[in-house]
Amino acid sequence: MIAIVFPFRTVLVQILIMFLAIAIESWFLQKLLKIGPRTSVEYTAILNLGCTCVGWLVFFGIESVLSKDLREQLIGYILLGGSPNTYPAITTIALSILAITFLAKWQGLEIVENMVSGNKKASVPQFLGPPTLTRRPPKKTFRVTTQFGAVLIAHTVSNFVILTVLFLQSVNN
């Protein structure tokens, strides 16, 4: 009986999406913020699990106050796929969720780092002396030094990859 009621496919897709997001975002945070691989995976796992849990709680909270017709449409869309007349509303909701989860991850990363470091300020680099003539001039490369930029890039790329995977899945069905 539980196999008929429990949405195994939806839960499995959510878990796979979360693993994909953690892998992509941790790689970007590691490279852009110059943190270790283990630390970047821990940070992104905490942020993605937190956003997912809060997202499901918000979903169940909103679902409980919807009318019966809207509730059936929403559950039908999530479990069975949607009808074309629900796509504009779903697109608007998806863009809102994208922006909200980005802000949550950005602020969450600051909170997690403050908890780990104990509110220590980053040390100011010391002046090592004048440059020598044998040194090459530094290459001008694009560097993201802020958490905001790193989280924005990581979140955008992971969501783009996830949407591409979901689109390819819907085309194959």
Side-chain angles (χ1 to χ4, degrees):
M1 180 67 175
I2 194 166
I4 296 171
V5 178
F6 190 75
F8 285 114
R9 182 176 177 183
T10 303
V11 172
L12 182 62
V13 168
Q14 179 75 46
I15 291 170
L16 293 175
I17 285 172
M18 195 177 324
F19 281 142
L20 185 61
I22 290 170
I24 292 169
E25 291 178 15
S26 67
W27 185 84
F28 275 98
L29 289 184
Q30 177 187 355
K31 298 298 180 191
L32 298 175
L33 295 179
K34 307 288 189 230
I35 56 178
R38 180 178 176 163
T39 304
S40 66
V41 170
E42 289 172 350
Y43 285 178
T44 55
I46 290 169
L47 297 174
N48 281 295
L49 286 171
C51 285
T52 301
C53 291
V54 170
W56 278 106
L57 291 174
V58 168
F59 167 75
F60 287 124
I62 290 174
E63 183 267 338
S64 66
V65 297
L66 291 176
S67 66
K68 184 178 179 182
D69 293 334
L70 287 174
R71 183 181 298 162
E72 287 175 0
Q73 285 180 352
L74 180 64
I75 299 298
Y77 180 81
I78 290 173
L79 297 179
L80 306 172
S83 63
N85 61 354
T86 59
Y87 289 150
I90 296 297
T91 302
T92 305
I93 292 170
L95 290 174
S96 301
I97 290 171
L98 179 72
I100 291 168
T101 55
F102 160 69
L103 294 173
K105 287 179 183 180
W106 174 45
Q107 291 301 310
L109 182 61
E110 289 184 4
I111 291 169
V112 168
E113 280 194 335
N114 285 338
M115 287 173 51
V116 169
S117 68
N119 289 331
K120 295 178 188 172
K121 294 285 184 183
S123 62
V124 178
Q126 299 292 326
F127 180 69
L128 299 176
T132 63
L133 295 174
T134 59
R135 279 195 184 163
R136 294 182 186 167
K139 291 182 179 180
K140 296 196 183 249
T141 59
F142 178 72
R143 289 190 139 185
V144 178
T145 57
T146 64
Q147 285 182 350
F148 179 85
V151 173
L152 178 64
I153 291 171
H155 183 68
T156 304
V157 170
S158 71
N159 278 283
F160 177 76
V161 170
I162 289 166
L163 288 174
T164 303
V165 168
L166 292 175
F167 174 74
L168 293 174
Q169 177 194 12
S170 70
V171 170
N172 288 336
N173 287 336

